[in-house]
Every structure is written in C-alpha cells, then in structure tokens.
Coordinates of all heavy atoms in Angstrom, one line a residue:
M21 N -158.2 109.2 -89.8 CA -158.8 107.9 -90.2 C -159.5 108.1 -91.5 O -160.3 108.9 -91.7 CB -159.7 107.5 -89.1 CG -160.1 106.0 -89.2 SD -158.9 104.9 -88.6 CE -158.9 105.3 -86.8
S22 N -159.1 107.2 -92.5 CA -159.7 107.3 -93.8 C -160.5 106.0 -94.1 O -160.2 105.0 -93.5 CB -158.6 107.4 -94.9 OG -157.8 108.5 -94.7
E23 N -161.5 106.2 -95.0 CA -162.2 105.0 -95.4 C -162.2 104.9 -96.9 O -162.0 105.9 -97.6 CB -163.6 105.0 -94.8 CG -164.4 106.2 -95.2 CD -165.8 106.2 -94.6 OE1 -166.0 105.6 -93.5 OE2 -166.7 106.9 -95.1
C24 N -162.4 103.7 -97.4 CA -162.5 103.5 -98.8 C -163.6 104.3 -99.5 O -164.7 104.3 -99.0 CB -162.7 102.0 -99.1 SG -162.9 101.6 -100.9
M25 N -163.3 105.0 -100.6 CA -164.3 105.8 -101.2 C -165.4 105.0 -101.9 O -166.5 105.5 -102.2 CB -163.7 106.8 -102.2 CG -162.9 106.2 -103.3 SD -162.4 107.5 -104.5 CE -160.7 107.0 -104.8
Q26 N -165.1 103.7 -102.1 CA -166.2 102.9 -102.7 C -167.0 102.1 -101.7 O -168.2 102.2 -101.6 CB -165.6 101.9 -103.8 CG -165.5 102.6 -105.1 CD -164.9 101.7 -106.2 OE1 -164.9 100.5 -106.1 NE2 -164.4 102.4 -107.2
C27 N -166.3 101.2 -100.9 CA -167.0 100.3 -100.0 C -167.0 100.8 -98.5 O -167.6 100.2 -97.7 CB -166.4 98.9 -100.1 SG -164.8 98.7 -99.4
K28 N -166.3 101.9 -98.2 CA -166.4 102.5 -96.9 C -165.6 101.7 -95.8 O -165.8 102.0 -94.6 CB -167.8 102.8 -96.4 CG -168.6 103.6 -97.3 CD -168.0 105.0 -97.6 CE -168.9 105.8 -98.6 NZ -168.1 106.9 -99.1
K29 N -164.9 100.7 -96.3 CA -164.0 100.0 -95.3 C -163.0 100.9 -94.8 O -162.5 101.8 -95.4 CB -163.4 98.8 -96.1 CG -162.6 97.8 -95.1 CD -162.0 96.7 -96.0 CE -160.5 97.1 -96.3 NZ -159.6 97.1 -95.1
E30 N -162.6 100.7 -93.5 CA -161.5 101.4 -92.9 C -160.2 101.0 -93.6 O -159.9 99.9 -93.8 CB -161.5 101.1 -91.4 CG -160.7 102.1 -90.6 CD -160.7 101.8 -89.1 OE1 -161.9 101.9 -88.6 OE2 -159.7 101.5 -88.5
L31 N -159.4 102.0 -93.9 CA -158.2 101.8 -94.7 C -157.0 101.6 -93.8 O -156.8 102.3 -92.8 CB -157.9 102.9 -95.6 CG -158.9 103.1 -96.7 CD1 -158.7 104.5 -97.4 CD2 -158.9 102.0 -97.7
T32 N -156.1 100.7 -94.2 CA -154.8 100.6 -93.5 C -153.8 101.6 -94.1 O -154.0 102.1 -95.2 CB -154.2 99.2 -93.6 OG1 -153.9 99.0 -95.0 CG2 -155.2 98.2 -93.1
Y33 N -152.7 101.9 -93.4 CA -151.7 102.7 -93.9 C -151.2 102.3 -95.3 O -151.0 103.0 -96.2 CB -150.5 102.7 -92.9 CG -149.4 103.6 -93.3 CD1 -149.4 105.0 -92.9 CD2 -148.2 103.2 -94.0 CE1 -148.4 105.9 -93.3 CE2 -147.2 104.0 -94.3 CZ -147.3 105.4 -93.9 OH -146.2 106.2 -94.2
N34 N -151.0 100.9 -95.4 CA -150.5 100.4 -96.7 C -151.5 100.5 -97.8 O -151.1 100.6 -99.0 CB -150.1 98.9 -96.5 CG -148.7 98.8 -95.8 OD1 -148.1 99.8 -95.5 ND2 -148.4 97.6 -95.4
E35 N -152.8 100.4 -97.5 CA -153.8 100.6 -98.6 C -153.8 102.0 -99.1 O -153.9 102.2 -100.3 CB -155.2 100.2 -98.0 CG -155.4 98.7 -97.9 CD -156.7 98.3 -97.3 OE1 -157.1 99.0 -96.3 OE2 -157.3 97.4 -97.8
I36 N -153.6 103.0 -98.2 CA -153.5 104.3 -98.7 C -152.2 104.5 -99.5 O -152.2 105.1 -100.6 CB -153.5 105.3 -97.5 CG1 -154.8 105.3 -96.8 CG2 -153.1 106.7 -97.9 CD1 -154.9 106.0 -95.5
G37 N -151.1 103.9 -99.1 CA -149.9 103.9 -99.8 C -150.0 103.3 -101.2 O -149.5 103.8 -102.2
A38 N -150.7 102.2 -101.3 CA -150.9 101.5 -102.5 C -151.7 102.4 -103.5 O -151.4 102.5 -104.7 CB -151.6 100.1 -102.3
H39 N -152.7 103.0 -103.0 CA -153.6 103.9 -103.8 C -152.7 105.0 -104.4 O -152.7 105.3 -105.6 CB -154.7 104.5 -103.0 CG -155.6 105.3 -103.9 ND1 -156.8 104.9 -104.4 CD2 -155.4 106.6 -104.3 CE1 -157.3 105.9 -105.1 NE2 -156.5 106.9 -105.1
K40 N -151.9 105.6 -103.5 CA -151.0 106.7 -104.0 C -150.0 106.2 -105.0 O -149.8 106.9 -106.0 CB -150.2 107.3 -102.8 CG -151.1 108.1 -101.9 CD -150.3 108.7 -100.7 CE -151.1 109.6 -99.9 NZ -150.4 109.9 -98.6
K41 N -149.5 105.0 -104.8 CA -148.5 104.4 -105.7 C -149.1 104.1 -107.1 O -148.6 104.3 -108.1 CB -147.9 103.2 -105.0 CG -146.6 102.8 -105.5 CD -145.5 103.6 -104.9 CE -144.1 103.3 -105.5 NZ -143.1 104.1 -104.9
F42 N -150.3 103.4 -107.0 CA -150.9 102.9 -108.3 C -151.8 103.8 -109.0 O -151.9 103.8 -110.2 CB -151.6 101.6 -108.0 CG -150.8 100.5 -107.5 CD1 -151.0 99.9 -106.3 CD2 -149.7 100.0 -108.3 CE1 -150.2 98.8 -105.8 CE2 -148.9 98.9 -107.8 CZ -149.1 98.4 -106.6
I43 N -152.4 104.7 -108.3 CA -153.4 105.6 -108.9 C -152.8 107.0 -109.0 O -152.6 107.5 -110.1 CB -154.7 105.6 -108.1 CG1 -155.3 104.2 -107.9 CG2 -155.7 106.6 -108.8 CD1 -156.0 103.6 -109.1
N44 N -152.6 107.7 -107.9 CA -152.2 109.1 -107.9 C -151.6 109.5 -106.6 O -152.3 109.4 -105.6 CB -153.4 109.9 -108.3 CG -153.0 111.4 -108.4 OD1 -151.9 111.8 -108.0 ND2 -154.0 112.2 -108.8
R45 N -150.4 109.9 -106.6 CA -149.7 110.3 -105.3 C -150.4 111.4 -104.6 O -150.3 111.6 -103.4 CB -148.3 110.6 -105.7 CG -147.3 110.3 -104.6 CD -145.9 110.6 -104.9 NE -145.2 110.5 -103.7 CZ -144.3 109.5 -103.4 NH1 -144.0 108.6 -104.2 NH2 -143.7 109.5 -102.2
G46 N -151.1 112.3 -105.4 CA -151.7 113.4 -104.8 C -153.1 113.2 -104.3 O -153.8 114.2 -104.0
S47 N -153.6 112.0 -104.4 CA -155.0 111.7 -104.0 C -155.3 112.1 -102.6 O -154.5 112.0 -101.7 CB -155.3 110.2 -104.1 OG -155.1 109.8 -105.5
T48 N -156.6 112.5 -102.4 CA -157.0 112.8 -101.0 C -158.1 111.9 -100.6 O -158.5 111.9 -99.4 CB -157.5 114.3 -100.9 OG1 -158.5 114.5 -101.9 CG2 -156.4 115.2 -101.0
S49 N -158.6 111.1 -101.5 CA -159.6 110.0 -101.1 C -159.0 108.7 -101.8 O -158.4 108.7 -102.8 CB -161.0 110.3 -101.6 OG -161.0 110.5 -102.9
F50 N -159.3 107.6 -101.1 CA -158.6 106.4 -101.4 C -159.5 105.1 -101.6 O -160.6 105.1 -101.1 CB -157.6 106.1 -100.3 CG -156.7 107.3 -100.0 CD1 -157.0 108.1 -98.9 CD2 -155.6 107.6 -100.8 CE1 -156.2 109.2 -98.7 CE2 -154.8 108.7 -100.6 CZ -155.1 109.5 -99.5
L51 N -158.9 104.1 -102.2 CA -159.6 102.8 -102.4 C -158.9 101.8 -101.5 O -157.7 101.8 -101.3 CB -159.5 102.3 -103.8 CG -160.3 103.1 -104.9 CD1 -159.9 102.7 -106.3 CD2 -161.8 103.0 -104.7
C52 N -159.7 100.8 -100.9 CA -159.0 99.7 -100.2 C -158.4 98.8 -101.2 O -158.6 98.9 -102.4 CB -160.1 99.0 -99.4 SG -161.3 98.1 -100.3
K53 N -157.7 97.8 -100.7 CA -157.0 96.9 -101.6 C -157.9 96.2 -102.5 O -157.6 96.0 -103.7 CB -156.3 95.8 -100.8 CG -154.9 96.1 -100.4 CD -154.1 95.0 -99.8 CE -154.8 94.3 -98.7 NZ -153.9 93.5 -97.8
T54 N -159.1 95.7 -102.0 CA -160.1 95.0 -102.8 C -160.6 95.8 -104.0 O -160.6 95.4 -105.1 CB -161.2 94.5 -101.9 OG1 -160.7 93.9 -100.8 CG2 -162.1 93.6 -102.7
C55 N -161.0 97.1 -103.7 CA -161.5 98.0 -104.7 C -160.4 98.4 -105.7 O -160.6 98.5 -106.9 CB -162.2 99.2 -104.1 SG -163.6 98.7 -103.1
L56 N -159.2 98.6 -105.1 CA -158.1 99.0 -105.9 C -157.7 97.9 -106.9 O -157.5 98.1 -108.1 CB -156.9 99.3 -105.0 CG -155.6 99.8 -105.7 CD1 -155.8 101.1 -106.4 CD2 -154.5 99.9 -104.7
A57 N -157.7 96.6 -106.4 CA -157.4 95.5 -107.3 C -158.5 95.4 -108.4 O -158.1 95.2 -109.6 CB -157.4 94.2 -106.5
R58 N -159.7 95.6 -108.1 CA -160.8 95.5 -109.1 C -160.6 96.6 -110.1 O -160.8 96.4 -111.3 CB -162.2 95.6 -108.4 CG -163.3 95.2 -109.3 CD -164.6 95.0 -108.5 NE -164.8 96.1 -107.6 CZ -165.2 96.0 -106.3 NH1 -165.3 94.8 -105.8 NH2 -165.4 97.1 -105.6
T59 N -160.3 97.8 -109.6 CA -160.1 99.0 -110.5 C -159.0 98.7 -111.5 O -159.0 99.1 -112.7 CB -159.9 100.2 -109.7 OG1 -161.0 100.5 -108.9 CG2 -159.7 101.4 -110.6
L60 N -157.9 98.1 -111.0 CA -156.7 97.9 -111.8 C -156.8 96.6 -112.6 O -156.0 96.4 -113.5 CB -155.4 97.8 -110.9 CG -155.1 99.1 -110.2 CD1 -154.0 98.9 -109.2 CD2 -154.7 100.2 -111.1
G61 N -157.8 95.8 -112.3 CA -157.9 94.5 -113.0 C -156.9 93.5 -112.6 O -156.4 92.7 -113.5
V62 N -156.4 93.5 -111.4 CA -155.5 92.6 -110.9 C -156.1 91.9 -109.6 O -157.2 92.3 -109.2 CB -154.1 93.2 -110.5 CG1 -153.5 93.9 -111.7 CG2 -154.3 94.3 -109.4
T63 N -155.4 91.0 -109.0 CA -155.9 90.3 -107.8 C -155.3 91.1 -106.6 O -154.3 91.8 -106.6 CB -155.4 88.9 -107.7 OG1 -154.0 88.8 -107.6 CG2 -155.9 88.1 -108.9
V64 N -156.0 90.8 -105.4 CA -155.5 91.4 -104.1 C -154.1 90.9 -103.8 O -153.3 91.6 -103.3 CB -156.5 91.1 -103.0 CG1 -155.9 91.5 -101.6 CG2 -157.8 91.8 -103.2
G65 N -153.9 89.6 -104.2 CA -152.6 89.0 -104.0 C -151.5 89.8 -104.8 O -150.4 89.9 -104.3
D66 N -151.8 90.2 -106.0 CA -150.9 91.0 -106.8 C -150.5 92.3 -106.1 O -149.3 92.7 -106.0 CB -151.5 91.4 -108.1 CG -151.6 90.2 -109.1 OD1 -150.8 89.2 -108.9 OD2 -152.5 90.2 -109.9
I67 N -151.5 92.9 -105.5 CA -151.3 94.2 -104.7 C -150.4 93.9 -103.5 O -149.5 94.6 -103.3 CB -152.7 94.8 -104.2 CG1 -153.6 95.0 -105.4 CG2 -152.4 96.1 -103.4 CD1 -153.5 96.3 -106.1
D68 N -150.7 92.8 -102.8 CA -149.9 92.5 -101.6 C -148.5 92.3 -102.0 O -147.5 92.7 -101.3 CB -150.5 91.2 -101.0 CG -151.6 91.5 -100.1 OD1 -151.8 92.6 -99.6 OD2 -152.5 90.6 -99.9
E69 N -148.3 91.6 -103.1 CA -146.9 91.3 -103.6 C -146.2 92.6 -103.9 O -145.0 92.8 -103.5 CB -147.0 90.5 -104.9 CG -145.9 89.4 -105.1 CD -146.3 88.5 -106.2 OE1 -147.1 87.5 -106.0 OE2 -145.9 88.7 -107.3
K70 N -146.8 93.5 -104.5 CA -146.2 94.8 -104.9 C -145.9 95.6 -103.6 O -144.8 96.2 -103.5 CB -147.2 95.6 -105.8 CG -147.3 95.2 -107.2 CD -146.0 95.5 -107.9 CE -146.0 95.0 -109.4 NZ -144.6 95.1 -110.0
I71 N -146.8 95.6 -102.7 CA -146.6 96.3 -101.4 C -145.4 95.7 -100.7 O -144.5 96.5 -100.3 CB -147.9 96.2 -100.5 CG1 -149.0 97.0 -101.0 CG2 -147.5 96.6 -99.0 CD1 -150.3 96.9 -100.3
E72 N -145.3 94.4 -100.7 CA -144.1 93.7 -100.2 C -142.8 94.2 -100.8 O -141.8 94.5 -100.2 CB -144.3 92.2 -100.4 CG -143.6 91.4 -99.3 CD -144.0 91.7 -97.9 OE1 -145.2 91.8 -97.6 OE2 -143.1 91.9 -97.1
Q73 N -142.8 94.3 -102.2 CA -141.7 94.8 -102.9 C -141.3 96.3 -102.5 O -140.1 96.6 -102.3 CB -141.9 94.8 -104.4 CG -141.8 93.4 -105.0 CD -142.2 93.3 -106.5 OE1 -142.2 94.4 -107.1 NE2 -142.6 92.1 -106.9
F74 N -142.3 97.1 -102.4 CA -142.1 98.5 -102.0 C -141.5 98.6 -100.6 O -140.6 99.4 -100.4 CB -143.4 99.3 -102.2 CG -143.9 99.5 -103.6 CD1 -145.2 99.3 -103.9 CD2 -143.0 99.9 -104.6 CE1 -145.7 99.4 -105.2 CE2 -143.5 100.1 -105.9 CZ -144.8 99.8 -106.2
I75 N -142.0 97.8 -99.7 CA -141.4 97.7 -98.4 C -139.9 97.4 -98.4 O -139.1 98.0 -97.8 CB -142.2 96.8 -97.5 CG1 -143.6 97.3 -97.2 CG2 -141.5 96.5 -96.1 CD1 -144.5 96.3 -96.5
Q76 N -139.6 96.4 -99.2 CA -138.2 95.9 -99.4 C -137.4 97.1 -99.9 O -136.2 97.3 -99.5 CB -138.1 94.8 -100.4 CG -138.9 93.5 -100.0 CD -138.4 92.9 -98.7 OE1 -137.2 92.9 -98.4 NE2 -139.3 92.4 -97.9
Q77 N -137.9 97.9 -100.8 CA -137.2 99.0 -101.4 C -137.1 100.2 -100.4 O -136.5 101.2 -100.7 CB -137.9 99.5 -102.6 CG -137.8 98.5 -103.8 CD -138.8 98.8 -104.9 OE1 -139.4 99.8 -105.0 NE2 -139.0 97.8 -105.8
G78 N -137.8 100.1 -99.3 CA -137.8 101.2 -98.3 C -138.7 102.3 -98.6 O -138.5 103.4 -98.1
C79 N -139.7 102.1 -99.4 CA -140.7 103.1 -99.8 C -141.4 103.6 -98.6 O -142.0 102.8 -97.8 CB -141.6 102.6 -100.9 SG -142.8 103.9 -101.3
T80 N -141.4 104.9 -98.3 CA -142.0 105.5 -97.1 C -143.6 105.5 -97.2 O -144.2 105.8 -96.2 CB -141.5 106.9 -96.9 OG1 -141.8 107.7 -98.1 CG2 -140.1 106.9 -96.6
L81 N -144.2 105.1 -98.3 CA -145.6 105.1 -98.4 C -146.2 103.8 -97.7 O -147.4 103.7 -97.5 CB -146.1 105.1 -99.8 CG -145.9 106.4 -100.6 CD1 -146.3 106.3 -102.0 CD2 -146.7 107.5 -99.9
F82 N -145.2 102.9 -97.3 CA -145.6 101.6 -96.8 C -144.9 101.3 -95.5 O -143.9 101.9 -95.2 CB -145.3 100.5 -97.8 CG -146.0 100.7 -99.1 CD1 -145.3 101.3 -100.1 CD2 -147.4 100.4 -99.3 CE1 -146.0 101.6 -101.3 CE2 -148.0 100.6 -100.5 CZ -147.3 101.2 -101.5
T83 N -145.6 100.5 -94.7 CA -144.9 100.0 -93.4 C -145.0 98.5 -93.3 O -146.0 97.9 -93.8 CB -145.6 100.7 -92.2 OG1 -145.1 100.1 -91.0 CG2 -147.1 100.4 -92.2
A84 N -144.0 97.9 -92.7 CA -144.0 96.5 -92.5 C -144.9 96.1 -91.4 O -145.3 95.0 -91.2 CB -142.6 96.0 -92.2
Q85 N -145.3 97.1 -90.5 CA -146.3 96.9 -89.5 C -147.7 96.9 -90.2 O -148.3 97.9 -90.4 CB -146.3 98.0 -88.5 CG -145.1 98.0 -87.6 CD -145.1 99.2 -86.7 OE1 -144.8 100.3 -87.1 NE2 -145.5 99.0 -85.4
R86 N -148.2 95.7 -90.5 CA -149.3 95.6 -91.4 C -150.6 96.3 -91.0 O -151.3 96.9 -91.8 CB -149.6 94.1 -91.6 CG -148.9 93.6 -92.8 CD -148.6 92.1 -92.6 NE -147.2 91.8 -92.9 CZ -146.7 91.8 -94.1 NH1 -147.4 92.0 -95.1 NH2 -145.4 91.6 -94.3
E87 N -150.9 96.3 -89.7 CA -152.2 96.9 -89.3 C -152.1 98.3 -88.8 O -153.0 98.8 -88.2 CB -152.8 96.0 -88.2 CG -153.2 94.6 -88.8 CD -154.0 94.7 -90.1 OE1 -154.9 95.6 -90.2 OE2 -153.7 93.9 -91.0
F88 N -151.0 98.9 -89.0 CA -150.8 100.3 -88.6 C -151.8 101.2 -89.4 O -151.9 101.2 -90.6 CB -149.4 100.8 -88.9 CG -149.2 102.3 -88.6 CD1 -149.5 102.8 -87.3 CD2 -148.8 103.1 -89.5 CE1 -149.4 104.1 -87.0 CE2 -148.6 104.5 -89.2 CZ -148.9 105.0 -88.0
Ligands
ZN4 ZN1 -163.2 99.3 -100.9

C-alpha cells in the first residue's frame, strides 16, 4: 500500500503507473493524480485522458479496473 509523498492520500494502481510514466519509471515513492497534475502543470483531466490512452495501448502500468 503506497501513499502520495506530498498529500499522503492513498494511491491507486493507476496513479502509481502515471507517476512512473510521467516522472520516472524507477521511482519508489509516488504522487497522486492531483499532485502529479500540479507538478506537471496540467489538469487531472489531462492525466485521466493519458491513462485512458495507455490502457488502450495495453500498457501494463495501468489497469482498466479503476479502483484496484
Ligand atoms: Zn497527492
């Protein structure tokens, strides 16, 4: 079980995947979508859209089961 390194929110599988994808694949601590979006200067909607695309591509860092 991981939590966001900034706001301590519990992370979903896809949030960890997004962090690996957007920041660093080798990361061992992670940001939630909200903090990640703020860090990247994009919206949470943008992150969701990208996650959706990665799922379509079959990227194993993400799951279509959203709350896993
Ligand atoms: Zn956070």
Side-chain angles (χ1 to χ4, degrees):
M21 195 77 65
S22 304
E23 56 182 29
C24 174
M25 61 173 136
Q26 273 181 21
C27 70
K28 307 299 178 196
K29 187 183 94 68
E30 195 175 297
L31 296 169
T32 65
Y33 183 84
N34 285 352
E35 284 176 318
I36 293 172
H39 182 101
K40 287 181 175 169
K41 202 81 183 179
F42 294 120
I43 306 281
N44 181 352
R45 213 178 165 109
S47 297
T48 50
S49 54
F50 309 98
L51 293 168
C52 68
K53 269 193 307 203
T54 310
C55 297
L56 184 62
R58 195 167 48 228
T59 301
L60 296 172
V62 300
T63 66
V64 173
D66 291 332
I67 303 272
D68 280 333
E69 215 168 279
K70 284 289 181 191
I71 289 175
E72 207 57 50
Q73 283 175 20
F74 291 132
I75 291 170
Q76 300 300 320
Q77 291 164 12
C79 179
T80 55
L81 289 176
F82 302 95
T83 175
Q85 289 174 285
R86 271 149 227 289
E87 294 311 317
F88 175 57

